[in-house]
Amino acid sequence: MAVTQLVNKTDGEFTDNDAEIVDIFAGYCGLALHNARLHEQVQRDNTQRQVALEMISYHTRAHPHEIEELSKKKLPRNISLTLKSITFDPLSVDDDQTLIAARDMFLESGLAQTFRMRREDLSAWLICVKRSYRDVRCPCIWNCLYVYVHVVMLLLHVCAFVY
């Protein structure tokens, strides 16, 4: 809230014109103050969003030891033999093995080679994707993506799509 006051005119009394000029000036001052407050709020909101984004990025990124560990892991033979089968049930794989299965699907379908993704880069990307779809809103989102990868791999393999 702000107040304007007409005081101490040096020559004569204040006129209605003087009051109208001050009233218009006060309106512009009020707009300037309001815009300054809005600008400060936008800056605070942007700072908060930036901090939140940095925190999310930090917590979803794949750490080098995780990438190395995933890159070295192998699927159990009974699962790896059935990956290209139409009867394979992607949801039958334990949650901790879905990353390995997804990685192998990308490798076996040729998508990783097509996009020139090194095994380590593919592992890091899959870890980030899975971590980004944690159980906050819907625990099935990672599973849906994982099943989708399997369907794409089957289409590429069974139908011999050229990409």
Side-chain angles (χ1 to χ4, degrees), residues 142-158:
W142 165 251
N143 287 339
C144 293
L145 290 170
Y146 166 68
V147 170
Y148 178 74
V149 168
H150 182 251
V151 169
V152 169
M153 187 196 75
L154 283 177
L155 288 173
L156 291 172
H157 177 72
V158 174

Side-chain angles (χ1 to χ4, degrees), residues 62-115:
H63 299 282
H65 71 277
E66 294 174 300
I67 297 167
E68 184 179 343
E69 189 177 303
L70 179 58
S71 295
K72 292 178 180 177
K73 285 185 177 178
K74 295 185 188 294
L75 270 178
R77 187 161 169 75
N78 64 326
I79 296 174
S80 65
L81 290 175
T82 60
L83 274 181
K84 290 184 180 178
S85 168
I86 196 74
T87 60
F88 174 70
D89 178 11
L91 298 179
S92 67
V93 177
D94 292 338
D95 187 59
D96 59 335
Q97 293 178 334
T98 58
L99 282 171
I100 306 164
R103 181 206 59 211
D104 288 356
M105 287 183 230
F106 269 92
L107 293 170
E108 290 183 28
S109 67
L111 287 172
Q113 292 81 359
T114 299
F115 293 107

